Amino acid sequence: MKVETEDAVRNILALDGEVEESLIDRVVAILKGESDEIVPQMPILKRKVVLELLKCHRRTLDYYVEQGYLKRAYRPGTKRAVGITRDSFVQFTTLRIGQ
């Protein structure tokens, strides 16, 4: 990364008073390829896709979630669900096939 680019990134992030200096250093290290701290995104299946795959009613899907068979995936920092975790879906469908 060019020095000018690094300076620009640091200056832009420094303008936001909520971004800590240590986080700015980590971001620059990631951009330079010096760190592999990038957290992988949790694979998420949209509710509509899960309904189509399971061929069930939305109330049945809600029941599966309430019973703990499937886990909701939430948008970071909010209480809003954005779908179902792929891991819970795979586990649920694998267990159902084995019965």
Side-chain angles (χ1 to χ4, degrees), residues 46-62:
K46 295 287 187 183
R47 182 180 169 93
K48 184 177 178 180
V49 172
V50 174
L51 289 170
E52 291 172 4
L53 291 171
L54 294 179
K55 297 179 181 161
C56 69
H57 193 273
R58 62 182 172 79
R59 290 183 185 158
T60 305
L61 180 60
D62 290 339

Side-chain angles (χ1 to χ4, degrees), residues 1-2 6 25-38:
M1 174 185 326
K2 294 181 180 179
E6 180 180 340
D25 294 337
R26 287 171 54 193
V27 168
V28 171
I30 290 169
L31 291 174
K32 286 181 170 183
E34 297 172 354
S35 174
D36 293 332
E37 278 191 54
I38 299 174

